[in-house]
Amino acid sequence: MVLINSAEKLNTEDIAEFENEVGIKFPEDYKRFMLKSNGGTPEEEWLYDFFDEVSEAENTSVIREFFSLFLDDTVKMGNLKKIYKTMTYEEMIPDDMLPIADDPGGNVIAISLNKDDYGYVYFINHEYDDL
Protein backbone atom coordinates (compact mmCIF):
# COMPACT_ATOMS: atom_id res chain seq x y z
CA MET A 1 0.00 0.00 0.00
CA VAL A 2 1.32 3.42 -0.98
CA LEU A 3 0.29 6.35 1.22
CA ILE A 4 0.15 9.95 0.09
CA ASN A 5 -0.30 13.12 2.14
CA SER A 6 1.56 11.66 5.11
CA ALA A 7 2.68 14.00 7.86
CA GLU A 8 6.27 14.83 8.67
CA LYS A 9 8.53 11.91 9.49
CA LEU A 10 8.54 10.79 13.12
CA ASN A 11 11.27 9.38 15.31
CA THR A 12 10.97 7.13 18.35
CA GLU A 13 11.19 10.13 20.71
CA ASP A 14 8.14 11.75 19.04
CA ILE A 15 6.11 8.58 19.58
CA ALA A 16 7.36 8.18 23.16
CA GLU A 17 6.34 11.78 23.91
CA PHE A 18 2.80 11.10 22.64
CA GLU A 19 2.60 7.81 24.55
CA ASN A 20 3.72 9.50 27.78
CA GLU A 21 1.38 12.46 27.29
CA VAL A 22 -1.75 10.35 26.90
CA GLY A 23 -0.64 7.34 28.97
CA ILE A 24 -0.73 4.62 26.33
CA LYS A 25 1.75 2.33 24.55
CA PHE A 26 1.63 1.69 20.79
CA PRO A 27 1.81 -1.93 19.67
CA GLU A 28 5.22 -2.50 18.05
CA ASP A 29 3.83 -3.12 14.54
CA TYR A 30 1.82 0.12 14.67
CA LYS A 31 4.88 1.99 15.93
CA ARG A 32 6.87 0.68 12.92
CA PHE A 33 4.04 1.78 10.60
CA MET A 34 4.03 5.28 12.08
CA LEU A 35 7.81 5.58 11.88
CA LYS A 36 7.68 4.55 8.23
CA SER A 37 4.71 6.60 7.04
CA ASN A 38 3.11 8.69 9.83
CA GLY A 39 -0.38 8.17 8.47
CA GLY A 40 -1.72 9.35 5.15
CA THR A 41 -4.24 8.50 2.48
CA PRO A 42 -4.00 5.28 0.47
CA GLU A 43 -3.05 6.18 -3.10
CA GLU A 44 -5.44 3.54 -4.42
CA GLU A 45 -8.70 2.40 -2.85
CA TRP A 46 -7.84 0.04 -0.01
CA LEU A 47 -10.64 -2.34 1.00
CA TYR A 48 -10.83 -4.33 4.20
CA ASP A 49 -13.28 -6.90 5.50
CA PHE A 50 -14.77 -6.95 8.99
CA PHE A 51 -17.47 -8.75 10.94
CA ASP A 52 -20.36 -6.43 11.78
CA GLU A 53 -21.72 -7.55 15.14
CA VAL A 54 -24.88 -5.47 14.73
CA SER A 55 -25.97 -7.14 11.49
CA GLU A 56 -24.12 -10.35 12.38
CA ALA A 57 -22.60 -10.47 8.89
CA GLU A 58 -19.34 -9.98 7.06
CA ASN A 59 -18.96 -6.52 5.57
CA THR A 60 -16.43 -4.47 3.60
CA SER A 61 -15.29 -0.88 3.85
CA VAL A 62 -12.52 1.39 2.56
CA ILE A 63 -9.74 3.19 4.43
CA ARG A 64 -10.18 6.91 3.79
CA GLU A 65 -7.26 8.04 5.91
CA PHE A 66 -4.74 6.74 8.43
CA PHE A 67 -4.42 9.36 11.16
CA SER A 68 -1.09 11.15 11.52
CA LEU A 69 0.78 12.18 14.63
CA PHE A 70 1.43 15.88 14.14
CA LEU A 71 4.12 17.59 16.14
CA ASP A 72 2.22 20.87 15.64
CA ASP A 73 -1.09 20.80 17.57
CA THR A 74 -2.68 23.41 15.30
CA VAL A 75 -3.40 20.80 12.63
CA LYS A 76 -7.01 19.72 13.02
CA MET A 77 -7.77 17.18 10.27
CA GLY A 78 -6.46 13.66 10.77
CA ASN A 79 -4.55 14.61 13.93
CA LEU A 80 -4.18 11.40 15.96
CA LYS A 81 -3.62 13.26 19.24
CA LYS A 82 -6.72 15.45 18.87
CA ILE A 83 -8.87 12.56 17.64
CA TYR A 84 -7.79 10.27 20.51
CA LYS A 85 -8.32 12.95 23.16
CA THR A 86 -11.70 14.01 21.75
CA MET A 87 -13.02 10.48 21.29
CA THR A 88 -11.99 9.34 24.77
CA TYR A 89 -13.14 12.56 26.46
CA GLU A 90 -16.56 12.32 24.79
CA GLU A 91 -16.65 8.59 25.61
CA MET A 92 -16.98 7.65 21.95
CA ILE A 93 -14.27 5.03 22.54
CA PRO A 94 -12.73 3.65 25.74
CA ASP A 95 -9.31 4.93 26.87
CA ASP A 96 -7.78 1.60 25.87
CA MET A 97 -8.69 1.96 22.18
CA LEU A 98 -6.47 3.93 19.80
CA PRO A 99 -8.22 5.31 16.70
CA ILE A 100 -5.85 4.80 13.75
CA ALA A 101 -7.98 5.42 10.64
CA ASP A 102 -11.44 6.14 9.31
CA ASP A 103 -13.62 5.26 6.36
CA PRO A 104 -15.67 7.54 4.09
CA GLY A 105 -18.75 7.01 6.28
CA GLY A 106 -17.07 8.42 9.39
CA ASN A 107 -16.52 5.05 11.04
CA VAL A 108 -13.29 4.55 12.94
CA ILE A 109 -10.76 1.76 12.82
CA ALA A 110 -9.04 1.36 16.19
CA ILE A 111 -6.39 -0.78 17.85
CA SER A 112 -7.09 -2.26 21.26
CA LEU A 113 -4.62 -1.39 24.00
CA ASN A 114 -6.43 -3.62 26.51
CA LYS A 115 -4.23 -6.41 27.90
CA ASP A 116 -6.80 -9.07 26.91
CA ASP A 117 -6.82 -8.22 23.18
CA TYR A 118 -3.81 -5.91 22.82
CA GLY A 119 -3.09 -5.08 19.19
CA TYR A 120 -6.39 -6.38 17.79
CA VAL A 121 -7.95 -4.08 15.21
CA TYR A 122 -11.63 -3.10 15.47
CA PHE A 123 -14.18 -1.40 13.23
CA ILE A 124 -16.21 1.10 15.28
CA ASN A 125 -19.52 1.96 13.66
CA HIS A 126 -20.25 5.59 14.57
CA GLU A 127 -24.00 4.94 14.48
CA TYR A 128 -23.78 2.61 17.48
CA ASP A 129 -22.20 4.05 20.60
CA ASP A 130 -22.68 1.14 23.00
CA LEU A 131 -19.03 0.07 23.13
Side-chain angles (χ1 to χ4, degrees), residues 60-75:
T60 301
S61 190
V62 177
I63 295 288
R64 182 186 71 84
E65 172 186 27
F66 286 96
F67 304 136
S68 299
L69 182 54
F70 290 97
L71 305 179
D72 176 2
D73 281 347
T74 62
V75 177

Side-chain angles (χ1 to χ4, degrees), residues 26 29 37 66 89 118 127:
F26 284 1
D29 53 352
S37 67
F66 286 96
Y89 177 78
Y118 187 81
E127 296 192 26

Side-chain angles (χ1 to χ4, degrees), residues 27-38:
E28 286 302 314
D29 53 352
Y30 181 64
K31 187 181 295 188
R32 286 190 302 273
F33 168 77
M34 291 299 283
L35 289 169
K36 181 178 177 184
S37 67
N38 193 10

Side-chain angles (χ1 to χ4, degrees), residues 10-78:
L10 298 172
N11 59 46
T12 55
E13 291 80 22
D14 298 326
I15 292 173
E17 183 178 322
F18 172 80
E19 291 173 325
N20 290 333
E21 180 179 336
V22 298
I24 63 171
K25 184 86 171 137
F26 284 1
E28 286 302 314
D29 53 352
Y30 181 64
K31 187 181 295 188
R32 286 190 302 273
F33 168 77
M34 291 299 283
L35 289 169
K36 181 178 177 184
S37 67
N38 193 10
T41 305
E43 186 174 57
E44 296 182 20
E45 191 172 82
W46 199 68
L47 298 170
Y48 64 93
D49 298 322
F50 65 95
F51 182 78
D52 186 341
E53 291 184 0
V54 175
S55 66
E56 297 182 348
E58 291 291 327
N59 209 333
T60 301
S61 190
V62 177
I63 295 288
R64 182 186 71 84
E65 172 186 27
F66 286 96
F67 304 136
S68 299
L69 182 54
F70 290 97
L71 305 179
D72 176 2
D73 281 347
T74 62
V75 177
K76 293 185 179 12
M77 298 301 294

